[in-house]
Amino acid sequence: MYTNLKVFKLQKVVAFAVVFVMTTTAFAQQNNKYLQADYSKSLEAIWDKKEVKDSKIIDDCESLEGWDYGALGKAELSSRYFKSGKTSIKLTSPAEYKDGSEYPIAYMERFMNGANIEKYNRIAVWIYAEHKNADFFYVSIEFKNDGKEKVPQRVRKAGKNYVKLETGKWNRVYWEIPSMPRDKVKAIAFVYTIKGKSFRGVGDEVSIYVDDFELQKVDADIDESWKVAPGKIAYSHNGYLPEFEKTALVNNVKAKEFSIVDVKSHKVVLSKKITAKNTRFGKFQLLDFSELKKEGRYKIVVGGLESKSFAIGKNIWEQSIWNNLNFWKAERCGQTVDGIHGNCHADVVCEHNGNKIVVNGGWHDAGDLTQMIYNTGDAVVAMLELASKVEKLNPKMYNAFVDEAKWGLDWMLKTRFEDGYRHTFGGMSKYTDGVMGTSDDIVFEAKNLPYDNFLSAMVLSNSALFFQESNPVLAQRCKEAAIEDWKFATEGITELNVELCGNATIASINLFNLTNNGKYKAKAIEWGDVLVESQQKEKTNWSVPLSGFFYKSPKHEQILRYNPIGMDQAPIIALNNLYKAFPENHDAKKWYNSLKLYVEYIKETSKLSNPFEMIPQSIYNVNEVHKPSVYGFNQSTLAKYKKYEDKEPMYVKQVENGLILGDGNYLKTFPVWYSHRGSAGIQLSQAKGLSVASKLVGDKAGQELAVKQLQWIVGRNPFAQSTVYGEGYDFPPMYFASSGPLVGALACGIQTFANRDIPNWPAAACYNYKEIWTHTTSRYLWLISEFIDVDLQ
């Protein structure tokens, strides 16, 4: 919410009003049972139907010849389950490992003896899964290539595909590999990474049965391009708001016109000429139907292509919101989640001065089971902001998100030691037995960091304002804790920078409104000045003159950026809230102008990613020296200090693949990155800030640009795929390793391969780009909340 709720008014914004219809959603119909994705709308359903133009059996699984397996597991021929012939090959491994806290890996691999298999571009295999302790589990298929390019690659994430297997049935598994190095394949392996048992007392073994292992040749999906995939239309699967721009994109269509067809009446409601667009990424064909404002369901027909149906309407994001809630409920830690895990992690603690706090609760963070304050805190804020906007028009949605926000808020409160120390980060990738004193216990050390305490103070003060009337006891707890955390954070400041001052300013405004204590107002204004002074005010003398971006501090030594956890919205929301809280202050004009500059900067740079208008990630200097964060929050995984000296050539190559600006500066559409790849969290954080600032300064074009970032997420991208699982069309399988496929989960996002700055979206489900994260999923919800404003006055 990041807002002063004491004086908060929901204002009607032209083209943004959404009247939530009081329909019974799929989520409500199932009485809080977890949603199942519509398989017919998935990318896997398309893979099932592809014509196989050529094939070659790797192994018919009637013999163990050519196979090897690791010491932990056991491979053998089995006649219990087989798809054809008389046998399959069975790999059995333990479901838990009791001799230590680390969980080993079981595998079996088929030797390929350096074969060149470039003729084929898909692996197909049948796998039967047997596990009495879970409804699903994951096995990775791994390539081992020893040719011109080696795989697997740890940094570039090539060569691994984590596939979900439903237990008690045969699973048809495909893996399209058009870009996979496969000129000298040593082996293809099946690997089971043991995650521990999510329920105690059952299922000590896991088995898979492999049969009919083959190579195939198909028309594989494009996995790297700025051009729209052949035979596809890039459009917003969720639809379009009535008063906003409505565009779609195609490539190499011979037709001169396109049509919009009403799905219900089957009538053509609009026919228009296709617009040719020449951009730095090549030639595109733009389909612009912005004048169509009548609510309904439509489809696009152009040159023999036809889209699936989409909506034009004011409530196009409603089902997205319910899907989003489905994700959060299923990611809950510390309680039984039916079909996913038991009451988990009761033996995970944080320690400080001999005291221990059990830190389960909140939400599992990602494809693994990590929990951290950075994502939990902002998720609570996003949920309460959404709730505040739907309270009167959709009480069911309001109550559901308030309830879920309280679950995360409880974790924020329980993980404090009340002397400035707290549990802030817990990296986990296994389930534990829940028994204190056994070998799988996990112990984290508490930290006292100004950034984390200001973030906590912001979230808790925001929550205190929200619950003042509806839950005064909870509000008081949040208020007192926020005051304490603000105090400890302030005492720990050694240097003022944008990273710190964003949430510090927001927390201070909230606390001023809770206490009327002038010290909070004074600090908010002081720290707001740091934000303003850290911004580039004058146009640069580069080939593309730019202003409005932020440096890390008033020293203007390094441009502010985040990777992989985007916090770009914090300084923008801080300045927005300053202007709204203290409009008569003599600095109010500075705050307003700063926001206006930021909007212009994002609009100007986004022109350079036409026709998709994806917000470019940042400006980089080829000689930039990166330093670790003063306060412990890692802004960038590329930091060029001792730990990353060996990666300097990668940094330079990635920067130089950006758009040349001059003086060694380049504009990068995607981040410079090494291990963490996936841009959605950064892109949506930028879009959140853009929308907030655009509303304040009355810039509709800025708001439309923010909406286009949502559209990119759900289909208006080069691959024409939705990157939200179970939403829209052609959504791919994702890396859900510990939680199973959750409708509403958002992947880390489209990445780039190697050092290029070109969208890359392989078929493989691998961390991090296809990994589900609470960070990206909360940012999606938070941005959607910008476009459901309703006038409740």
Side-chain angles (χ1 to χ4, degrees), residues 44 89 91 108 125-141 161-174 190-193 206-211 339 725 733-734 736-737 739-741 765:
E44 291 172 283
I89 295 178
L91 172 68
M108 65 180 185
V125 63
W126 286 98
I127 305 177
Y128 189 96
E130 193 173 50
H131 188 4
K132 296 178 181 179
N133 187 36
D135 294 323
F136 66 89
F137 64 94
Y138 279 76
V139 168
S140 66
I141 304 176
N161 181 23
Y162 289 79
V163 296
K164 177 193 70 92
L165 302 177
E166 294 183 42
T167 59
K169 62 177 291 187
W170 281 101
N171 297 262
R172 186 55 162 164
V173 175
Y174 298 109
F190 296 85
V191 182
Y192 171 59
T193 303
V206 173
S207 297
I208 61 170
Y209 301 77
V210 175
D211 206 356
Y725 188 76
M734 296 181 185
F736 287 101
S739 56

Side-chain angles (χ1 to χ4, degrees), residues 225-234 249-251 284 612 717-720:
S225 181
W226 273 112
K227 295 291 185 69
V228 179
K232 300 287 186 180
I233 304 173
L249 296 160
V250 291
N251 275 114
F284 294 81
F612 293 98
N717 56 60
F719 311 103

Side-chain angles (χ1 to χ4, degrees), residues 234-246:
Y235 67 102
S236 174
H237 296 176
N238 290 44
Y240 301 83
L241 294 169
E243 299 298 327
F244 273 27
E245 287 184 6
K246 305 169 192 69

Side-chain angles (χ1 to χ4, degrees), residues 222-425:
I222 298 297
D223 58 14
E224 182 180 56
S225 181
W226 273 112
K227 295 291 185 69
V228 179
K232 300 287 186 180
I233 304 173
Y235 67 102
S236 174
H237 296 176
N238 290 44
Y240 301 83
L241 294 169
E243 299 298 327
F244 273 27
E245 287 184 6
K246 305 169 192 69
T247 60
L249 296 160
V250 291
N251 275 114
N252 301 318
V253 170
K254 294 182 180 179
K256 295 182 179 180
E257 290 189 346
F258 72 96
S259 298
I260 304 296
V261 177
D262 185 293
V263 172
K264 187 176 181 179
S265 68
H266 305 291
K267 294 180 179 179
V268 173
V269 296
L270 179 69
S271 290
K272 282 186 66 178
K273 288 185 178 180
I274 296 171
T275 304
K277 298 285 287 187
N278 293 320
T279 76
R280 72 185 184 102
F281 301 132
K283 295 181 179 180
F284 294 81
Q285 293 161 297
L286 181 72
L287 318 178
D288 189 336
F289 48 103
S290 299
E291 62 264 48
L292 182 58
K293 299 178 182 180
K294 182 180 179 181
E295 295 197 11
R297 292 201 68 83
Y298 303 92
K299 63 182 178 181
I300 303 167
V301 178
V302 56
L305 303 179
E306 186 175 298
S307 75
K308 303 283 192 356
S309 73
F310 60 89
I312 293 177
K314 297 176 180 179
N315 63 341
I316 61 171
W317 301 107
E318 182 178 7
Q319 189 58 51
S320 298
I321 294 169
W322 287 115
N323 292 345
N324 198 277
L325 180 64
N326 177 78
F327 166 81
W328 294 104
K329 284 187 172 295
E331 281 284 48
R332 282 190 176 190
C333 174
Q335 72 171 43
T336 297
V337 180
D338 186 36
I340 299 177
H341 62 74
N343 194 332
C344 57
H345 297 118
D347 50 356
V348 178
V349 301
C350 185
E351 190 171 35
H352 173 57
N353 283 343
N355 297 317
K356 294 181 180 180
I357 295 174
V358 177
V359 293
N360 64 349
W363 304 286
H364 293 143
D365 178 69
D368 59 20
L369 301 168
T370 295
Q371 169 66 289
M372 63 178 76
I373 189 175
Y374 313 115
N375 294 338
T376 299
D378 282 345
V380 170
V381 169
M383 290 175 189
L384 294 182
E385 178 172 331
L386 177 93
S388 71
K389 294 179 177 180
V390 302
E391 180 177 5
K392 293 185 178 179
L393 289 182
N394 200 327
K396 183 172 292 196
M397 183 179 286
Y398 170 84
N399 290 328
F401 274 95
V402 168
D403 178 68
E404 200 60 31
K406 286 165 68 176
W407 181 261
L409 186 58
D410 178 71
W411 185 87
M412 297 283 295
L413 289 165
K414 73 175 280 190
T415 52
R416 303 173 63 253
F417 283 94
E418 299 182 353
D419 62 351
Y421 283 80
R422 66 190 320 114
H423 176 59
T424 62
F425 178 86

